[in-house]
Amino acid sequence: MDVIRVNGPARLAGEVTVVGAKNSALKLMAAALLASGRTELTNVPQITDVMIMAEVLRRLGCDVEISGDRVVIDTPVELSGHADYDLVRRLRASINVLGPLLTRRGYAKVAHPGGDVIGTRGLDMHVAGLARMGARITGEHGYVIAEAERLHGTTIWLDFPSVGATENILMAAVRAKGTTVIDNAAREPEVVDICAMLTAMGAKIEGAGTSTLTIHGVDELRPVSHRTIGDRIIAGTWAFGAAMTGGDVTVHGVPAGYLDVALDKLTTAGAQVDRFSDGFRVRMSQRPRAVDMVTLPYPGLATDLLPMAIGLASVADGVSLITENVFDGRFMFINEMSRLGADIRTDGHHAVVRGRERLSGAPVRATDIRAGAGLVLAGLCADGVTEVTDVAHIDRGYPDFVAQLRSLGAPVERLTVPDEPDPFARLSPG
Ligand code: UD1
């Protein structure tokens, strides 16, 4: 079992360059299904999720080669339409093959990905959108089965600007007959990135980055080379880390504009923020001031930065109200923050955080990717040793997290500790 050990307190200082965005790269890989031939993606992060997505594509009939940050996908003319549960359960983003498969093959059978530790994650908007385009969709034995001779354009009003549903419908619409309009579409930079790649492939898309996407279907798309945008969540993690630890961090690889709300909140908390075209610098020379934060679809504060927002509030001077609006299970990690001495009370999707000058090091468990990173940052604001377990979660979103922390001067190490036998394992229940 690997653990990350943090020797606090410590401040982050220096420069980091972020890798390509996981949440973009995985969807771009799914988009490669839309054109037969050789798609090349660069700036792809080297993380397990990319390996799993590569395996999903291989099972569908593609040849996939990964070397460093480059992924080459050779898509055959005839694809299989079947994505199994053993892979889909490990990677929710694999549901994004549904739209491309359906529009190319007229048939897709994709395992239902189920929920997630950060909360229930429905598929109703994906399904309703594709059905409106003419697909017959059924659920059977844990699979979503979609069939259509050829999807047709229509107008789809999303109840909520879901990133996943926008992407699935968009990828189905680019090869549908006629014009599809997605109203209340997600505006995330990762959606814009997919639109850029699809447009280079020959798709006709208007309104990328706005709430209305208009897609004129085409008969054929061609494979392209595409560079993945930088990871704004990793960049935001360093921004909060700098502010929480009284640090000074310069981040390269992501336009500052992807993080406008987050950087503005840090300024309100007392940080000095300098913006560049490909990054930003965050300096904090005082204890952060309390600041209220609300997660929302882009351009709001990203839900993936919620743990960092709670971390900042936990050491800020004053009381902050933090509201989570996207996932119902995001607060699960708050028990772990309490172990570090954070003073947090939750009520529904609100958390009232009374800042403490210092947290207190303790053993804690990463409950998901972002919670894990947030706990490591909180450990930097704590006296003594914090050991974070279940770090496999962190590996899914932060390649070389420990090496990057160390390059910023953090006294952090990764250790492999033997699994201890559970002394209660043989006790029978009751
Ligand atoms: C979400 C984030 C995205 C982030 C990603 C990875 C938002 C809006 N989305 O995208 O920025 O990169 O996680 O952590 O912040 N929902 C339904 N029915 C559906 C689809 C979604 O009820 O058919 C609900 C979900 O349960 C959730 C919300 O809508 O509460 C947002 O879902 P969605 O944006 O689709 O999630 P992801 O694509 O995973």
Side-chain angles (χ1 to χ4, degrees), residues 102-103 106 133-136 147-153 173-178 217-220:
L102 180 60
T103 206
M133 296 173 75
R136 293 174 300 284
E147 291 168 276
E149 272 81 70
R150 185 159 185 204
L151 296 171
H152 57 75
V174 287
R175 287 187 57 163
K177 188 171 163 38
V218 297
D219 291 333
E220 196 100 34

Side-chain angles (χ1 to χ4, degrees), residues 83-290:
D84 281 326
Y85 178 61
D86 63 328
L87 287 173
V88 175
R89 77 184 164 86
R90 297 179 62 194
L91 177 65
R92 190 182 156 83
S94 37
I95 193 65
N96 275 81
V97 302
L98 184 65
L101 282 181
L102 180 60
T103 206
R104 262 207 70 185
R105 288 193 86 256
Y107 173 80
K109 181 176 174 186
V110 180
H112 195 299
D116 206 296
V117 282
I118 56 174
T120 46
R121 288 176 136 182
L123 282 186
D124 51 316
M125 286 184 264
H126 301 238
V127 167
L130 296 174
R132 219 179 161 97
M133 296 173 75
R136 293 174 300 284
I137 305 194
T138 48
E140 222 172 69
H141 307 300
Y143 281 84
V144 180
I145 301 166
E147 291 168 276
E149 272 81 70
R150 185 159 185 204
L151 296 171
H152 57 75
T154 182
T155 297
I156 294 159
W157 291 272
L158 293 180
D159 296 338
F160 180 91
S162 151
V163 173
T166 300
E167 291 166 338
N168 239 335
I169 297 166
L170 165 70
M171 289 197 267
V174 287
R175 287 187 57 163
K177 188 171 163 38
T179 298
T180 305
V181 177
I182 310 176
D183 198 38
N184 199 20
R187 292 184 279 164
E188 268 71 357
E190 294 77 22
V191 176
V192 178
D193 198 21
I194 298 181
C195 287
M197 174 164 152
L198 293 172
T199 302
M201 290 168 78
K204 306 241 173 301
I205 304 169
E206 293 156 21
T210 75
S211 299
T212 309
L213 282 174
T214 304
I215 306 124
H216 306 286
V218 297
D219 291 333
E220 196 100 34
L221 294 174
R222 55 184 175 272
V224 290
S225 290
H226 182 85
R227 184 180 163 83
T228 315
I229 58 165
D231 194 313
R232 66 192 163 98
I233 305 301
I234 298 182
T237 302
W238 296 129
F240 274 92
M244 285 165 70
T245 61
D248 178 355
V249 177
T250 300
V251 178
H252 302 283
V254 165
Y258 286 2
L259 284 155
D260 274 338
V261 175
L263 295 176
D264 184 57
K265 290 291 176 188
L266 297 182
T267 308
T268 309
Q272 186 179 333
V273 177
D274 303 311
R275 293 151 177 271
F276 326 115
S277 57
D278 88 320
F280 54 84
R281 178 179 181 184
V282 175
R283 275 174 281 180
M284 183 67 104
S285 53
Q286 63 194 62
R287 184 175 171 201
R289 287 190 290 272

